[in-house]
């Protein structure tokens, strides 16, 4: 093999990489590629009070169940929601467990409760939709308030769980 052929063969991959790299831009990483990525996106959005970004992290079923306004009310206008929002925003992911079906997972979180200085554990379900891990929950699972009572303002007011902001 002559020197020219050897040089052409050794430079071909380098030149091809440069040509491909010149016009191509790297796609941003998917914020929901793994259970950990989904948790991080959800946590960071709640920490910034970015409810649109947090809502984007929710599964289709959860979004169908709760319009974005209800999601905002649940996390912003109830004392339980405010507590969990702060807890999630300051939490660390202890473990994420994907089930064998490849579609369901559980994320286990730990955070220090500022009121008691004790650690509290919380979990949420993840579901894989269109190749993305998303947060899935019901108000009853997350807040401990039965669905039919959550929107009963008399019941909520009776429990002093609803706080109006002025």
């Amino acid at each position: 093999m002559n020197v020219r052929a050897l040089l052409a063969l050794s430079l071909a991959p380098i030149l091809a990489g440069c040509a491909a790299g010149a016009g191509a831009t790297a796609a941003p990483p998917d914020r929901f590629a793994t259970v950990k990525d989904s948790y991080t996106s959800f946590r960071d959005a709640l920490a910034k009070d970015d409810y649109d970004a947090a809502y984007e992290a929710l599964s289709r079923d959860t979004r169908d169940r709760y319009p974005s306004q209800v999601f905002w009310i649940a996390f912003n206008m109830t004392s339980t929601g405010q507590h969990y929002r702060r807890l999630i925003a300051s939490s660390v992911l202890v473990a994420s467990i994907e089930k064998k079906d490849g579609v369901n997972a559980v994320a286990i979180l730990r955070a220090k409760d500022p009121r008691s200085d004790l650690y509290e554990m919380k979990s949420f379900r993840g579901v894989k939709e269109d190749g993305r891990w998303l947060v899935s929950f019901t108000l009853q699972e997350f807040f401990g308030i039965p669905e039919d009572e959550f929107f009963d303002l008399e019941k909520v007011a009776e429990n002093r769980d609803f706080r109006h902001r002025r």
Side-chain angles (χ1 to χ4, degrees):
M1 186 176 267
N2 68 27
V3 175
R4 259 192 187 160
L6 187 58
L7 186 60
L9 281 175
S10 63
L11 289 177
I14 294 169
L15 294 174
C18 290
T25 57
D30 187 357
R31 297 178 318 147
F32 310 111
T34 66
V35 175
K36 182 179 180 181
D37 293 339
S38 180
Y39 152 76
T40 302
S41 295
F42 188 63
R43 179 197 65 199
D44 294 351
L46 286 177
K48 295 175 190 171
D49 291 333
D50 185 349
Y51 291 97
D52 291 335
Y55 194 74
E56 186 183 343
L58 300 180
S59 70
R60 191 175 308 117
D61 178 59
T62 304
R63 281 182 274 144
D64 287 347
R65 188 182 290 254
Y66 312 115
S68 60
Q69 298 86 353
V70 171
F71 177 73
W72 182 85
I73 288 169
F75 275 99
N76 202 46
M77 299 294 285
T78 66
S79 61
T80 304
Q82 291 171 18
H83 171 71
Y84 283 128
R85 185 186 75 225
R86 285 189 300 272
L87 217 63
I88 292 168
S90 65
S91 69
V92 293
L93 182 66
V94 174
S96 63
I97 305 160
E98 289 184 36
K99 295 188 178 179
K100 289 181 183 179
D101 64 8
V103 177
N104 294 289
V106 175
I108 302 168
L109 321 175
R110 183 185 80 166
K112 195 176 224 179
D113 183 348
R115 299 176 303 188
S116 65
D117 240 10
L118 299 173
Y119 285 94
E120 190 170 332
M121 303 294 281
K122 193 73 185 153
S123 65
F124 67 78
R125 290 180 293 122
V127 63
K128 198 169 197 177
E129 294 177 354
D130 302 323
R132 302 169 79 203
W133 284 102
L134 301 171
V135 176
S136 177
F137 66 85
T138 65
L139 291 175
Q140 182 162 353
E141 288 173 334
F142 214 65
F143 296 101
I145 301 170
E147 298 267 330
D148 57 337
E149 293 177 15
F150 194 86
F151 298 103
D152 182 347
L153 295 183
E154 284 183 30
K155 183 83 166 175
V156 173
E158 177 183 302
N159 291 335
R160 298 177 165 209
D161 196 31
F162 194 77
R163 298 182 183 189
H164 294 284
R165 295 217 173 167
R166 293 188 171 109

